[in-house]
Amino acid sequence: MTWFKADALTNLANGAKISTWPDASGHGNDAVQSIKSQKPTFLANGIGGLPVVHFNSTNQTYLSFSRLVSGDFTISCLFRSTQGLNSGTLFYQGAGLVNGEMAGTVSDFGTCLFSNGFVCAGTGNPDVSVNSSAGFNDGQPHILTFTRARTTGALNLYIDGALASTTTGGMQPLTAPAQLVLGAQQTLINFLTGDIAEVKIYDGALSDAERVGEENYLRCKYALGPGAPPPAPENLAAATSDHSVFLNWSPGVAASSYILYRATNPVGPFAVAGMGITATNYVDTNAASGRINYY
C-alpha cells in the first residue's frame, strides 16, 4: 500500500514548494520532485479546511514515485480541478492524475482528466479505458476509485461512490513503467492544474464494502457529506485461557481504531468491552465467567 495525504505534510508554510510527499503507509514509497521550478505547492486551507497539494500545468509541476503494483490494485484519489486537457477516451490522452503511461504498446496503466470533465482510467496492451460522464472539472472535490482484477482483466471506475463504467482489459502483469506520476502523464506531458488531497494505492482490488468504507472515510474527513458507517471488521476469532478471551480480526479499511462490544446473549444488549483499540487484537480480561461471551 502507498498513501499520500496532504495533512501529513508538516512544517510547511502556505504556498511552500513540495520536494517530498511522504508515504504515510510507512512503506517508503515517497513521491518526490528535485527540480525547483516543477515542484507543486502546499495549500494549507484546501478541501474541507484541510491541506491539498496544488499542481500547475504552466510550471509543469509533478511528483513521481516507484510503481508498487502490477496485478490486482485499487487506486483512490481525492482531487479537484477546473481544467482537464484534450478530448479522447484513453487514459494517456488527458491531464494525468495518478498515471503510469509509457509510450508504445506496453503493459501500463493510469488515470486522467479531460477538458470536458470526463475522468478516465485504463490499462495498456491492449489499450482499454473506462470513462465517467462529463463535468468533473467543476472546481469541486471528487473521489476517483479505479479497481483492476488481474485474473479477469476487469476494470471498474467509480466517481463519488457511483459506478461510472466497467470494461475488460488484459490479464497480464502490468510491469511498466518503473515509476508513477502525480499531476501529469508519466511521460511528462499533459500536466494537471488542480489540487490533490489524498491518494491511496492498494495492492489488491477492494471489495465493494471495503471500497465504500474508503470512500466514506474521505467523504467524512474532507466534509463532503455524511458517509455510512464502515462495515465491521471480518474474521473475528477468539481463544480463551486463564479467565481471559484473546480476540483478533482482519484490519478494517480506513480504520484508525476499533470499539469492541460484548454481551452474554447473541442478540444483546451489547456493552463496550474496549475502545480506542489501535491493534487488530485485544485481550478481554473482564469477560463473564462460566458463560458464552459474544463480541
Side-chain angles (χ1 to χ4, degrees), residues 3-292:
W3 184 9
F4 302 114
K5 53 177 183 173
D7 57 341
L9 292 163
T10 57
N11 301 317
L12 289 178
N14 186 54
K17 298 283 189 178
I18 297 170
S19 57
T20 301
W21 195 353
D23 175 9
S25 75
H27 290 98
N29 294 310
D30 299 347
V32 299
Q33 175 56 267
S34 60
I35 302 172
K36 184 177 181 180
S37 64
Q38 293 186 281
K39 294 179 180 180
T41 53
F42 176 77
L43 298 185
N45 187 8
I47 298 174
L50 294 175
V52 296
V53 175
H54 179 69
F55 296 85
N56 184 331
S57 61
T58 300
N59 296 335
Q60 298 187 341
T61 56
Y62 70 94
L63 294 165
S64 61
F65 60 101
S66 296
R67 176 184 53 79
L68 70 156
V69 293
S70 61
D72 298 349
F73 61 72
T74 300
I75 298 173
S76 173
C77 176
L78 175 59
F79 74 95
R80 68 178 178 186
S81 176
T82 57
Q83 180 223 28
L85 284 176
N86 306 328
S87 61
T89 59
L90 294 170
F91 67 93
Y92 53 80
Q93 296 172 320
L97 291 167
V98 184
N99 194 275
E101 152 67 1
M102 190 171 177
T105 303
V106 293
S107 298
D108 53 1
F109 60 97
T111 65
C112 72
L113 179 67
F114 288 113
S115 59
N116 59 4
F118 277 58
V119 177
C120 179
T123 59
N125 195 20
D127 290 335
V128 298
S129 292
V130 281
N131 289 270
S132 72
S133 57
F136 293 105
N137 58 345
D138 57 1
Q140 298 300 310
H142 297 290
I143 301 170
L144 172 163
T145 306
F146 175 38
T147 66
R148 190 237 185 182
R150 187 192 65 79
T151 55
T152 62
L155 307 177
N156 294 299
L157 175 64
Y158 301 85
I159 303 295
D160 297 335
L163 179 64
S165 185
T166 183
T167 192
T168 301
M171 293 180 283
Q172 77 279 11
L174 302 177
T175 54
Q179 67 177 17
L180 303 179
V181 163
L182 302 176
Q185 296 285 326
Q186 197 278 145
T187 49
L188 303 185
I189 60 172
N190 296 356
F191 292 87
L192 173 75
T193 292
D195 304 323
I196 295 179
E198 202 150 327
V199 172
K200 282 187 179 180
I201 303 177
Y202 290 93
D203 188 11
L206 296 185
S207 68
D208 280 343
E210 291 171 332
R211 174 185 57 79
V212 169
E214 179 63 41
E215 291 163 346
N216 284 338
Y217 151 77
L218 291 171
R219 193 173 290 115
C220 291
K221 177 177 178 178
Y222 291 92
L224 306 182
E234 298 179 344
N235 303 316
L236 177 64
T240 60
S241 176
D242 295 331
H243 305 290
S244 296
V245 180
F246 297 83
L247 300 122
N248 62 81
W249 54 88
S250 297
V253 172
S256 59
S257 65
Y258 303 90
I259 302 173
L260 182 71
Y261 296 89
R262 181 201 327 109
T264 54
N265 187 300
V267 296
F270 285 83
V272 174
M275 62 189 307
I277 303 168
T278 56
T280 55
N281 56 77
Y282 186 78
V283 180
D284 185 8
T285 58
N286 295 305
S289 181
R291 303 187 65 179
I292 297 176

